[in-house]
């Protein structure tokens, strides 16, 4: 997990149990409204892999669903990943906030920490987990 003293590791997500393969299609882009976030879950039980994607126009940003401060899911309720005005990712357990574009903690208990990225991009109208060399 990334912390205040390091940059986020773009391949760390692959070490998590049940991590999907690069190239996995998550959903059609049109299923994620502009300015919204959506969770994607692989597996179940104690080895569940949970990530989410935030859409900003034609761009998408993916992260593990783990708060770097509390090591718990960022969303207390399904689908709730953003603050009220949709400008930042928010941990609903303790209200830490992160920039959407790079996952850097800018407010609250996780300030100066990083969310762990899951590289995603849009390909043929679908949100896809990036393979090495894909344009993100």
């Amino acid at each position: 997990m990334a912390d205040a003293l390091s940059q986020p590791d773009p391949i760390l997500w692959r070490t998590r149990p049940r991590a999907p393969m690069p190239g996995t299609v998550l959903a059609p882009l049109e299923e994620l409204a502009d300015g919204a976030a959506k969770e994607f879950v692989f597996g179940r039980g104690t080895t569940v892999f949970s990530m989410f994607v935030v859409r900003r126009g034609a761009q998408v940003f993916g992260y593990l669903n783990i708060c770097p401060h509390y090591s718990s899911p960022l969303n207390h309720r399904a689908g709730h990943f953003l603050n009220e005005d949709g400008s930042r990712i928010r941990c609903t357990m303790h209200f830490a906030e992160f920039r959407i574009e790079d996952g850097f903690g800018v407010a609250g208990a996780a300030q100066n920490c990083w969310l762990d990225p899951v590289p995603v991009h849009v390909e043929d109208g679908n949100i896809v987990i990036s393979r090495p060399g894909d344009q993100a």
Side-chain angles (χ1 to χ4, degrees):
M1 181 177 331
D3 60 35
L5 301 176
S6 65
Q7 293 290 318
D9 183 343
I11 60 171
L12 179 72
W13 66 277
R14 290 290 300 133
T15 66
R16 311 270 316 164
R18 308 283 174 112
M21 293 297 297
T24 298
V25 173
L26 298 174
L29 181 63
E30 65 188 29
E31 287 185 8
L32 182 56
D34 188 14
K38 181 175 181 176
E39 182 177 19
F40 297 92
V41 177
F42 298 86
R44 58 183 167 182
T46 58
T47 61
V48 69
F49 179 92
S50 176
M51 63 173 288
F52 66 99
V53 174
V54 182
R55 178 178 177 186
R56 288 285 179 261
Q59 291 187 297
V60 288
F61 305 91
Y63 299 97
L64 288 178
N65 185 12
I66 300 172
C67 179
H69 170 248
Y70 204 61
S71 295
S72 66
L74 290 159
N75 62 325
H76 180 66
R77 295 180 316 205
H80 290 266
F81 289 97
L82 304 177
N83 63 3
E84 290 82 11
D85 67 4
S87 64
R88 293 182 181 161
I89 298 165
R90 176 183 280 168
C91 175
T92 58
M93 294 300 288
H94 65 286
F95 306 104
E97 292 191 351
F98 307 85
R99 292 188 303 229
I100 291 169
E101 298 77 18
D102 61 6
F104 184 70
V106 294
Q111 191 167 353
N112 297 322
C113 291
W114 298 87
L115 295 177
D116 289 306
V118 178
V120 294
H121 67 281
V122 177
E123 181 179 308
D124 298 327
N126 293 308
I127 302 168
V128 178
I129 297 179
S130 300
R131 301 177 264 327
D134 281 343
Q135 294 286 338

